[in-house]
Amino acid sequence: MTALRSLLYNVAFYVNIIVLMFLGLPMILLGRHGAFFMARLWGSTSIWLLDKICHLKIEYRGVENIQQGGYILASKHESFLETFALLEHAPDFAIILKKQLVWIPLFGLYLVGARQIAIDRSRGRAALSQIVAQARQVIGAGRQIIIYPEGTRRPPGAPPRYKFGVAAIYAETSAPCVPVALNTGLYWGRRGFTRRPGTAVIEYLPPILPGLDRDAFAAKLESSIEQACARLNAEAVAKDPRLAPVLAAGQATLDEPKAAHARQPA
């Protein structure tokens, strides 16, 4: 039944996003807030479908840790699920994303209309300068920066591969940073179409206030997120032992040396 429910959900998910992208085109004329409205509508309907079809719910914890005005939201990234689930509690966000996404038909129009931060990762240090410059503008306008410190999706329990882009933004903007831990990858893998039933948790951790140097900030961010993710993974497996092989596979992930990842900004 899980495979059948997953298939039905994937069909409904893509039909939903295509229909909303066409129906919402006039909203782009209203500026970024019109695009935000459609993004949240997409997120809420996708979460509703996930619950009704796959019996997978989302639980938000620590929402009292969310800051007002401009701040950095640094989230663990394990699946596509959090890309829309995080929109629930970010009123005026800018996501740091790959430039290639802007060229996706229709979808790219919404990214441009919402004034997101699209970067060319191949430019290395030049891309980092672009990120910092745009981040200053976003934070200065009282908006939220959403960044995935590892730059890409990682399996649950995999060895961490944090990059230096988020530390540069923290240092250059003097903005508070709210770390986000989650266990979404146990239910919605970064590859494949299976959507497992249960309750995926997204937890907003206590903010890291301005004032730390880059190295101290980076160490605190990584330890905060990784310790919380380990706790959430263990909690999920205790509730549903069928998730244990998923976690074990993630923990066995092998990567190239960490230095190769550290050269990338985000």
Side-chain angles (χ1 to χ4, degrees):
M1 285 300 292
T2 297
L4 178 58
R5 291 179 184 276
S6 298
L7 177 61
L8 290 175
Y9 175 77
N10 284 322
V11 172
F13 176 82
Y14 287 108
V15 168
N16 180 51
I17 190 173
I18 291 171
V19 169
L20 288 177
M21 281 195 296
F22 277 104
L23 293 180
L25 283 174
M27 298 295 290
I28 297 179
L29 299 177
L30 301 178
R32 72 175 189 269
H33 292 290
F36 289 159
F37 174 83
M38 294 308 301
R40 291 195 182 87
L41 180 60
W42 164 55
S44 61
T45 53
S46 296
I47 291 172
W48 183 84
L49 289 169
L50 196 59
D51 179 17
K52 299 305 178 184
I53 299 175
C54 297
H55 300 164
L56 174 54
K57 301 179 182 295
I58 308 298
E59 178 185 348
Y60 294 97
R61 298 179 184 174
V63 293
E64 68 276 5
N65 291 318
I66 297 175
Q67 303 292 284
Q68 298 295 318
Y71 63 89
I72 304 163
L73 192 71
S75 176
K76 187 73 173 177
H77 195 16
E78 294 182 351
S79 79
F80 192 68
L81 174 54
E82 55 266 16
T83 60
F84 56 83
L86 286 174
L87 305 184
E88 178 74 17
H89 296 289
D92 195 354
F93 60 88
I95 302 174
I96 297 175
L97 45 82
K98 295 183 293 186
K99 185 178 181 180
Q100 293 89 330
L101 295 176
V102 174
W103 303 113
I104 297 176
L106 287 181
F107 187 75
L109 287 177
Y110 284 93
L111 295 179
V112 173
R115 292 169 57 186
Q116 303 301 283
I117 301 177
I119 64 168
D120 183 354
R121 291 179 177 175
S122 65
R123 296 181 62 201
R125 292 283 181 177
L128 179 59
S129 298
Q130 175 194 355
I131 292 173
V132 169
Q134 294 191 50
R136 286 198 191 102
Q137 296 178 10
V138 170
I139 296 294
R143 301 175 62 195
Q144 303 82 49
I145 292 281
I146 298 179
I147 184 171
Y148 302 111
E150 293 173 283
T152 190
R153 289 172 292 176
R154 301 281 293 161
R161 288 289 184 263
Y162 285 66
K163 300 171 183 177
F164 57 77
V166 64
I169 294 174
Y170 170 84
E172 296 295 332
T173 62
S174 297
C177 175
V178 178
V180 180
L182 43 78
N183 61 8
T184 55
L186 293 175
Y187 304 93
W188 180 323
R190 60 176 182 157
R191 299 191 181 97
F193 74 96
T194 302
R195 310 291 177 251
R196 300 177 182 88
T199 301
V201 178
I202 295 176
E203 182 171 347
Y204 297 86
L205 304 175
I208 302 175
L209 300 179
L212 299 179
D213 63 42
R214 294 193 187 196
D215 290 341
F217 165 78
K220 185 171 184 178
L221 177 69
E222 180 173 334
S223 64
S224 297
I225 292 177
E226 293 303 314
Q227 289 175 18
C229 284
R231 169 173 49 79
L232 295 178
N233 288 335
E235 177 184 315
V237 170
K239 289 182 178 178
D240 185 355
R242 293 173 298 178
L243 297 173
V246 181
L247 180 58
Q251 292 170 333
T253 300
L254 298 177
D255 291 302
E256 62 268 30
K258 189 172 183 178
H261 291 264
R263 287 194 293 268
Q264 297 297 321

